[in-house]
């Protein structure tokens, strides 16, 4: 299991990545993270919803209510144009971070 401390700086990237493909809602995003990580990372609900609030405040995502045929309405999230731009920046930042760490751990 990957520590939430390690993943803290990457939660926004994970959420933006999922939303860059399709609009989604909290439980589905959480399930997707668990599935893609093969269970090695489970984002806590409080972490997820705090990230939604932060991303929405920065205008990187937008929330809207969806009426379902069965059950109560869900809050869906959609990435904005600004969110897509920031997502691309975060990908580049991750590539640099990954290279930096690899430089350190592969030295003898």
């Amino acid at each position: 299991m990957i520590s939430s401390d390690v993943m803290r700086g990457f939660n926004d990237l994970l959420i933006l990545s999922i939303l860059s493909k399709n609009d989604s809602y909290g439980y589905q995003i959480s399930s997707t993270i668990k599935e893609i990580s093969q269970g090695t990372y489970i984002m806590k609900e409080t972490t997820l919803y705090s990230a939604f609030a932060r991303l929405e405040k920065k205008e990187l995502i937008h929330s809207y209510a969806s009426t379902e045929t069965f059950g109560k309405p869900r809050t869906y999230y959609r990435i904005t144009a600004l969110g897509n731009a920031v997502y691309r920046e975060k990908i580049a930042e991750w590539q640099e971070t990954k290279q930096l760490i690899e430089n350190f751990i592969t030295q003898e």
Side-chain angles (χ1 to χ4, degrees):
M1 178 90 54
I2 298 173
S3 162
S4 60
D5 289 338
V6 171
M7 293 302 296
R8 184 172 294 125
F10 301 105
N11 287 330
D12 291 357
L13 176 61
L14 300 181
I15 293 167
L16 292 173
S17 173
I18 292 166
L19 293 177
S20 72
K21 294 161 187 65
N22 292 303
D23 294 2
S24 193
Y25 57 95
Y27 178 78
Q28 188 175 44
I29 292 170
S30 176
S31 295
T32 300
I33 290 169
K34 183 178 178 182
E35 179 184 329
I36 292 173
S37 74
Q38 298 177 342
T40 60
Y41 181 58
I42 298 169
M43 189 180 295
K44 294 177 185 172
E45 189 174 325
T46 54
T47 302
L48 183 64
Y49 286 94
S50 293
F52 288 156
R54 183 178 57 255
L55 292 169
E56 195 159 27
K57 185 175 182 180
K58 292 179 179 180
E59 299 182 352
L60 304 182
I61 64 172
H62 170 73
S63 64
Y64 63 94
S66 174
T67 313
E68 297 289 319
T69 307
F70 301 102
K72 64 181 183 174
R74 289 187 175 135
T75 300
Y76 275 76
Y77 298 90
R78 171 183 302 133
I79 194 168
T80 63
L82 177 59
N84 272 309
V86 169
Y87 171 56
R88 288 189 298 276
E89 289 172 10
K90 287 191 170 290
I91 290 171
E93 181 181 51
W94 162 246
Q95 295 299 333
E96 290 178 24
T97 303
K98 180 178 157 186
Q99 185 60 57
L100 172 68
I101 298 300
E102 285 180 359
N103 290 345
F104 277 92
I105 64 176
T106 57
Q107 286 196 358
E108 302 205 19

